[in-house]
Amino acid sequence: LPYTVASSSKPTLVDIQSHEVKAEYTYSVVPKLDGDAFLIAKATGWEDFSLLPGEANIFFEGTFVGKTMIDPNSIKDTLAVSLGRDKRIVVKREKLKDLTSKKLIGTNKKEEHSWEISVRNTKTEAITITVEDQLPVSKNKDIEVTAVNTGGAKFDLVSGKLIWKLVLQPNETKKMVYRYEIKYPKDKQITGL
């Protein structure tokens, strides 16, 4: 495209090409690490545009939201781009104290921990959101971790990962409660639960 660029000491940005790509929008949150939900655009059909590896500026609804690196050689069939945090999705993760207990059984201690994650959609349209959490994973044979209730999540026994895929209508709240049990020798100290 022909452009006239005025001489100036400031850099000038010009559009070389513009393409529209179909994308599926979904939210993702890991409340154990961060209480904010992130909007993710998953684009397909990007292979038709001969993208080069490099830095890309991300604009959403006309507003600059950040930068990302795009490497077409490492992307499989879907190009996932984060469009930033959305404060209209309210996520809370709380320990349920009334369902948490500690017991001494012979030479072992047994602890039960319960957590509740609530997700509220305050937007005016329905959303799809993936919520991830994790049960502790023991590398010590004397420490046993057992999932008592996964709250309907897809559960990976090896990594301890819990994944919920939810559809929330406008102003809808969903709550997930999960519980796990830890059994270990009473002379050991366990932290980080």
Side-chain angles (χ1 to χ4, degrees):
L1 299 174
Y3 279 96
T4 301
V5 179
S7 65
S8 170
S9 61
K10 296 180 182 176
T12 301
L13 293 176
V14 295
D15 287 337
I16 296 172
Q17 285 184 331
S18 179
H19 299 287
E20 283 196 26
V21 180
K22 289 186 180 183
E24 174 189 326
Y25 294 94
T26 183
Y27 286 88
S28 182
V29 65
V30 183
K32 185 177 186 176
L33 302 176
D34 193 325
D36 289 340
F38 290 83
L39 180 60
I40 310 290
K42 295 181 178 178
T44 54
W46 59 270
E47 306 91 345
D48 302 335
F49 302 117
S50 302
L51 296 178
L52 298 173
E55 187 176 73
N57 293 327
I58 307 297
F59 290 85
F60 181 61
E61 295 177 341
T63 304
F64 175 75
V65 293
K67 294 178 181 261
T68 189
M69 286 299 294
I70 295 179
D71 183 2
N73 301 323
S74 66
I75 301 169
K76 300 218 185 308
D77 59 343
T78 304
L79 172 63
V81 178
S82 174
L83 299 175
R85 300 171 188 265
D86 193 334
K87 298 288 188 183
R88 295 172 293 178
I89 312 302
V90 181
V91 182
K92 288 184 183 167
R93 180 180 186 263
E94 299 175 323
K95 190 169 202 171
L96 299 175
K97 296 192 179 182
D98 54 338
L99 295 176
T100 299
S101 64
K102 292 183 181 184
K103 296 176 188 170
L104 189 61
I105 302 171
T107 61
N108 291 322
K109 278 187 183 176
K110 186 173 167 184
E111 295 183 20
E112 191 166 309
H113 297 270
S114 298
W115 293 88
E116 178 182 78
I117 299 172
S118 66
V119 183
R120 179 169 174 74
N121 176 16
T122 64
K123 295 168 60 83
T124 56
E125 65 267 358
I127 64 159
T128 303
I129 188 166
T130 301
V131 181
E132 294 183 34
D133 212 309
Q134 185 179 26
L135 300 185
V137 177
S138 174
K139 301 277 185 199
N140 185 329
K141 64 179 176 66
D142 295 335
I143 302 170
E144 293 177 31
V145 180
T146 308
V148 176
N149 179 5
T150 59
K154 181 181 166 192
F155 176 57
D156 183 337
L157 188 61
V158 176
S159 67
K161 192 181 274 191
L162 299 164
I163 300 174
W164 293 269
K165 292 192 184 281
L166 309 172
V167 175
L168 291 172
Q169 298 304 317
N171 293 313
E172 182 181 9
T173 301
K174 287 194 179 175
K175 295 183 179 186
M176 294 80 63
V177 175
Y178 67 92
R179 294 179 11 205
Y180 59 90
E181 198 174 77
I182 300 174
K183 191 168 125 181
Y184 59 94
K186 67 180 179 182
D187 59 334
K188 288 198 182 289
Q189 290 287 349
I190 301 213
T191 59
L193 301 174

